[in-house]
């Protein structure tokens, strides 16, 4: 009886859309739900969001908005009560920027590397494996941007296959941030980002950086793309 | 038969109870220095009440408590009041409770000041005076309290003895026939110890807030490790994993001959699940995951970042990762995507060419190019009372691409690249 009432209540909540993120219903496979970024054009491009159980990547040149886009996802997830892990072998994350993007910092586990290069990448890969295996985190972000390609190439060749095998049974998404293509799972997203000219306002000395437009292309689906406006923080 | 121990100078906490528990498990602590004992059924060990009283007295003397007062009586009240009022050893014969208490002063009962004054005005000085008054007359003047006090003065019990529970210890020791080396054999033995220990905790509705693993090594030394995860747990598997992970990082340098596991009990966690809030992570799994990341946590390089109340750029602290419940405010939507700073730690020293007062060319490790657009300078300073800082910030766009935040340290007149805007 109690179970029937709970089911009816869950149906009612779902039909009335009382929550932005509907809670999982009994027996529902969490991997069927993608991790939406909340950015309309981008979620459309990703067919709903970053897929769970897959490695996805966001790559682009310096200032193309890779970090901003992944922080937007982390903000959405942590504000909904989920946990996000950020593995940062080069120690580049700025907590102030994360907070400005809306990330609930208490729900962000940040692993900071000490040195650049292979010495830090191997323990970082091991930590990513531990985090994915725990199943506690909706998204695990592995920030490889700024790390030389030679350091990445010195990792064992099976690294990404092993991580993909590890994640495919988990309700988490592994998102790589990189300067160029690294790897993605067979069902994962591969976003290539390119910055357009930054927007400025005012005249010197009161000139301000207002933001930058980022062109996002799903590298695996060819021509499809979206534009994301990134505002500058104060 | 009941007994009472009364120490005019109360011994340290629990010492009197320990003495009482050597004779019977049914003991009640009433106040510091006052203990009641239920001595029923001890006739086979001590033939007469006087033998039993003598044994109690000997145990007290063995502890050096020569002023301890001991009384044995057929009722609790008689034993207690006799112990309060008479030095040394008192054994009240059965049926003689009222007569034994009669000469003792009324103050030995727990009377409030008002009642004591009233009895004094009535001319009552001893328990015998009160006990001799008619119950009906007392009831008419004092209500139900009158006959109750009369019964107490005559040594008649009001309520049963309520035993004080003995403090529970959650510890288990395993002595090994042969010393063991390595963690794999220890893993099986830990399971043997932890499973009953955790089952005991669960039976009592408790969890372990922390555990201590005390390894006895073959050379007689001890190797102690204390674990205190973010959340209490009574899961044997979780504790075993945490202990093994800790021992991997801090292994004993000799074979293990014996080990003891001690749990620090705490009340069980109460979780109210909600249909509307997201599910919280299991504290056990979270503790286990953090233990697996001990290389990062031990160096203080893993945790939840927290901003500090300071204007110093980039100021933050790393806190223990222990996410609590989600507040309602956090459930509101985030702002739109914002450019984030990817900082260089420490900032990259830079050579900056100026045109007028504005940067025109930047050269630093991995960052080099002509400045095509710029915004600034934004001046900030602070902490003049501590480690002062003062800087002039610029956001610059380089011809080769990329937006960077650079700053001039005004105290040292040096330029740095703080990070890239991404």
């Amino acid at each position: 009886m109690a179970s029937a009432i709970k089911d009816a209540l869950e149906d009612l909540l779902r039909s009335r859309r009382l929550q932005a993120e509907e809670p999982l219903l009994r027996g529902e496979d969490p991997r069927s739900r993608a991790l939406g970024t909340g950015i309309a054009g981008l979620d459309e491009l990703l067919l709903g969001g970053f897929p769970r159980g897959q490695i996805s990547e966001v790559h682009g040149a310096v200032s193309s908005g890779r970090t901003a886009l992944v922080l937007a996802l982390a903000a959405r997830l942590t504000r909904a009560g989920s946990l996000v892990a950020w593995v940062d072998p080069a120690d580049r994350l700025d907590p102030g920027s994360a907070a400005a993007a809306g990330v609930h910092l208490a729900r962000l586990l940040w692993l900071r590397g000490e040195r650049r290069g292979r010495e830090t990448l191997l323990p970082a890969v091991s930590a990513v494996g531990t985090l994915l295996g725990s199943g506690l985190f909706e998204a695990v972000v592995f920030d490889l941007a700024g790390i030389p390609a030679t350091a990445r190439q010195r990792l064992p060749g099976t690294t990404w296959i092993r991580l993909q095998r590890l994640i495919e049974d988990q309700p988490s998404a592994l998102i790589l941030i990189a300067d160029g293509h690294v790897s993605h799972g067979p069902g994962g997203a591969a976003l290539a980002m390119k910055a357009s000219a930054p927007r400025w306002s005012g005249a010197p000395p009161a000139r301000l950086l207002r933001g930058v437009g980022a062109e996002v292309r799903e590298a695996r689906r060819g021509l499809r793309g979206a534009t994301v406006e990134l505002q500058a923080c104060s | 038969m009941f007994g009472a121990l009364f120490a005019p100078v109360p011994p340290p906490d629990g010492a009197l109870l320990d003495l009482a528990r050597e004779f019977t498990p049914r003991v009640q602590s009433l106040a510091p220095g006052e203990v009641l004992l239920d001595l029923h059924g001890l006739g086979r060990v001590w033939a007469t009440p006087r033998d039993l009283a003598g044994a109690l007295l000997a145990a007290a003397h063995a502890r050096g408590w020569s002023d301890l007062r001991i009384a044995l009586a057929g009722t609790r009240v008689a034993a207690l009041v006799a112990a309060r009022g008479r030095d040394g050893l008192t054994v009240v014969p059965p049926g003689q409770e009222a007569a034994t208490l009669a000469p003792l002063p009324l103050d030995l009962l727990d009377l409030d000041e008002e009642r004591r004054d009233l009895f004094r005005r009535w001319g009552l000085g001893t328990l015998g005076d009160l006990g001799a008054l008619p119950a009906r007359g007392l009831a008419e003047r004092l209500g139900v309290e009158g006959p109750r006090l009369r019964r107490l003065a005559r040594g008649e019990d009001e309520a049963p003895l309520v035993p004080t529970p003995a403090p529970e210890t959650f510890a288990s020791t395993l002595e090994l026939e042969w010393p063991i080396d390595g963690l794999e054999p220890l893993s099986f033995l830990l399971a043997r110890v932890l499973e009953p220990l955790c089952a005991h905790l669960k039976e009592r509705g408790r969890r372990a807030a922390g555990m201590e693993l005390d390894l006895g090594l073959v050379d007689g030394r001890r190797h102690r490790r204390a674990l205190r995860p973010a959340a209490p747990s009574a899961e044997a598997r979780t504790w075993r994993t945490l202990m093994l992970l800790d021992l991997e990082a801090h292994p004993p340098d000799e074979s293990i001959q014996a080990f003891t596991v001690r749990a620090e009990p705490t009340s069980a966690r109460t979780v109210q699940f909600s249909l509307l809030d997201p599910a919280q992570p299991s504290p056990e799994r979270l503790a286990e995951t953090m233990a697996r990341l001990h290389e990062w946590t031990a160096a203080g390089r893993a945790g939840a970042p927290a901003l500090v109340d300071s204007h110093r750029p980039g100021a933050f602290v790393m806190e223990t990762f222990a996410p609590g419940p989600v507040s309602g405010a956090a459930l509101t939507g985030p702002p739109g995507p914002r450019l984030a700073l990817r900082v260089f730690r420490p900032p990259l020293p830079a050579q900056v060419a100026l045109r007028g007062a504005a940067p025109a060319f930047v050269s630093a490790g991995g960052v080099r190019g002509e400045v095509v657009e710029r915004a600034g300078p934004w001046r900030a300073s602070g902490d003049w009372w501590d480690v002062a800082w003062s800087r002039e910030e610029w956001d610059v766009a380089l011809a080769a691409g990329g937006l960077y935040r650079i700053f001039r340290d005004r105290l040292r007149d040096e330029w740095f690249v703080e990070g890239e805007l991404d």
Side-chain angles (χ1 to χ4, degrees):
Chain A
M1 181 65 185
S3 159
I5 292 171
K6 185 166 173 285
D7 289 350
L9 184 55
E10 284 176 342
D11 288 343
L12 185 66
L13 289 170
R14 192 167 192 176
S15 64
R16 297 286 173 89
R17 294 189 175 276
L18 290 180
Q19 276 188 285
E21 287 293 326
E22 298 142 14
L24 284 173
L25 300 186
R26 190 180 302 128
E28 186 177 350
D29 184 357
R31 286 174 298 165
S32 63
R33 293 195 183 184
L35 300 177
T37 62
I39 304 167
L42 188 63
D43 284 346
E44 196 180 323
L45 182 69
L46 289 168
L47 306 179
F50 287 99
R52 297 173 195 252
Q54 296 287 334
I55 299 178
S56 297
E57 62 177 344
V58 180
H59 60 81
V62 170
S63 302
S64 56
R66 307 155 294 180
T67 313
L69 192 146
V70 180
L71 278 177
L73 172 72
R76 189 173 162 85
L77 292 175
T78 54
R79 285 186 167 232
S82 304
L83 303 182
V84 173
W86 195 287
V87 182
D88 187 10
D91 195 14
R92 300 291 303 275
L93 181 69
D94 174 36
S97 297
V103 176
H104 190 195
L105 294 180
R107 306 188 81 76
L108 178 75
L109 174 62
W110 180 24
L111 270 60
R112 307 168 58 198
E114 280 184 290
R115 296 181 300 274
R116 297 183 194 189
R118 187 166 185 262
E119 295 79 7
T120 302
L121 272 190
L122 274 177
V125 168
S126 164
V128 168
T130 302
L131 294 165
L132 291 175
S134 75
L136 292 169
F137 299 89
E138 297 265 309
V140 176
V141 180
F142 192 11
D143 189 350
L144 296 164
I147 291 178
T150 49
R152 281 204 322 265
Q153 286 156 3
R154 282 201 295 267
L155 287 174
T158 56
T159 297
W160 307 113
I161 295 173
R162 190 174 63 78
L163 288 177
Q164 175 58 41
R165 285 263 172 86
L166 188 61
I167 197 177
E168 62 191 7
D169 293 329
Q170 299 288 348
S172 318
L174 172 60
I175 299 166
L176 309 179
I177 303 177
D179 298 325
H181 166 66
V182 176
S183 179
H184 56 73
L191 296 184
M193 302 197 61
K194 188 180 170 189
S196 59
R199 288 176 285 107
W200 306 82
S201 69
R207 197 158 170 73
L208 274 177
L209 174 64
R210 306 302 297 190
V212 72
E215 291 170 17
V216 190
R217 192 170 54 83
E218 219 299 345
R220 301 171 64 202
R221 298 197 186 92
L223 296 176
R224 295 187 64 188
T227 302
V228 178
E229 286 299 320
L230 308 173
Q231 291 180 351
C233 296
S234 57
Chain B
M1 175 68 64
F2 291 95
L5 307 178
F6 178 76
V9 180
D13 279 351
L16 209 54
L17 271 174
D18 290 345
L19 185 147
R21 285 200 177 99
E22 287 180 9
F23 290 83
T24 171
R26 284 176 53 78
V27 297
Q28 182 179 6
S29 174
L30 297 171
E34 274 188 0
V35 172
L36 274 175
L37 300 86
D38 182 351
L39 300 171
H40 286 95
L42 295 180
R44 291 186 198 168
V45 185
W46 291 281
T48 63
R50 190 153 291 279
D51 293 342
L52 177 53
L56 277 166
L57 195 63
H61 284 167
R63 286 171 163 77
W65 301 339
S66 54
D67 60 345
L68 186 70
R69 299 176 185 177
I70 301 170
L72 270 64
T75 64
R76 292 183 307 112
V77 175
L80 180 64
V81 175
R84 283 177 181 173
R86 302 177 66 155
D87 288 335
L89 186 62
T90 306
V91 178
V92 181
Q96 296 296 310
E97 288 83 8
T100 308
L101 301 187
L104 298 177
L106 256 181
D107 290 347
L108 295 177
L109 292 182
D110 296 321
L111 299 174
D112 59 35
E113 198 60 38
E114 185 187 349
R115 199 67 78 202
R116 194 171 290 137
D117 286 348
L118 178 71
F119 288 155
R120 196 175 298 125
R121 286 202 298 278
W122 286 0
L124 305 179
T126 63
L127 293 169
D129 296 342
L130 179 59
L133 292 177
R136 186 182 181 124
L138 279 170
E140 285 170 354
R141 286 162 181 79
L142 301 176
V144 291
E145 182 72 358
R148 190 183 77 81
L149 290 174
R150 179 179 176 274
R151 284 196 296 274
L152 291 178
R154 295 169 64 88
E156 295 168 15
D157 277 343
E158 278 288 301
L161 181 138
V162 181
T164 303
E168 285 186 292
T169 54
F170 295 93
S172 188
T173 300
L174 193 64
E175 299 276 350
L176 304 175
E177 205 166 329
W178 302 97
I180 55 167
D181 276 317
L183 297 184
E184 197 174 330
L186 183 64
S187 166
F188 292 103
L189 297 171
L190 274 176
R192 268 182 56 193
V193 168
L194 283 169
E195 277 167 14
L197 186 63
C198 288
H200 185 202
L201 282 164
K202 284 180 187 170
E203 277 169 15
R204 299 292 179 190
R206 316 293 288 276
R207 299 287 181 269
M211 281 218 193
E212 187 190 66
L213 178 62
D214 185 357
L215 302 178
L217 307 182
V218 283
D219 59 1
R221 287 181 298 123
R222 315 294 300 181
H223 182 77
R224 290 191 179 91
R225 300 296 308 161
L227 301 170
R228 181 171 275 276
S233 172
E235 293 298 325
R237 185 182 150 275
T238 301
W239 281 111
R240 189 177 61 155
T241 309
L242 292 177
M243 284 178 182
L244 291 174
L245 287 168
D246 185 72
L247 286 176
E248 266 179 27
H250 307 92
D253 52 9
E254 277 290 354
S255 303
I256 300 163
Q257 183 70 67
F259 66 89
T260 301
V261 178
R262 287 184 204 92
E264 184 189 320
T266 184
S267 51
R269 180 168 47 97
T270 309
V271 178
Q272 179 69 53
F273 292 104
S274 160
L275 281 171
L276 297 175
D277 292 339
Q280 295 302 303
S282 149
E284 288 85 4
R285 284 177 73 187
L286 189 58
E288 208 175 304
T289 305
M290 295 308 288
R292 287 182 192 282
L293 296 171
H294 65 86
E295 273 181 43
W296 301 74
T297 50
R301 304 193 72 82
L307 302 181
V308 295
D309 187 11
S310 166
H311 291 291
R312 182 184 285 273
F316 70 93
V317 290
M318 291 293 277
E319 292 185 340
T320 305
F321 186 66
V326 186
S327 65
L331 291 169
T332 56
R338 289 166 183 268
L339 274 176
L341 188 66
R342 294 177 61 83
V343 294
F344 295 110
R345 294 191 177 92
L348 299 178
Q351 300 290 325
V352 175
L354 300 177
R355 186 175 299 131
F361 195 91
V362 177
S363 175
V367 179
R368 182 180 169 85
E370 184 190 350
V371 176
V372 290
E373 281 281 7
R374 61 195 69 75
W378 309 106
R379 287 186 181 141
S381 62
D383 295 351
W384 50 264
W385 59 92
D386 190 8
V387 181
W389 57 273
S390 176
R391 53 194 260 164
E392 191 177 277
E393 268 181 21
W394 294 80
D395 289 337
V396 297
L398 300 189
L403 291 164
Y404 293 89
R405 179 160 297 162
I406 64 173
F407 69 90
R408 182 170 73 89
D409 184 332
R410 299 175 67 206
L411 301 178
R412 290 188 286 168
D413 195 23
E414 290 173 1
W415 285 89
F416 296 90
V417 179
E418 185 175 19
E420 70 190 52
L421 294 160
D422 185 35

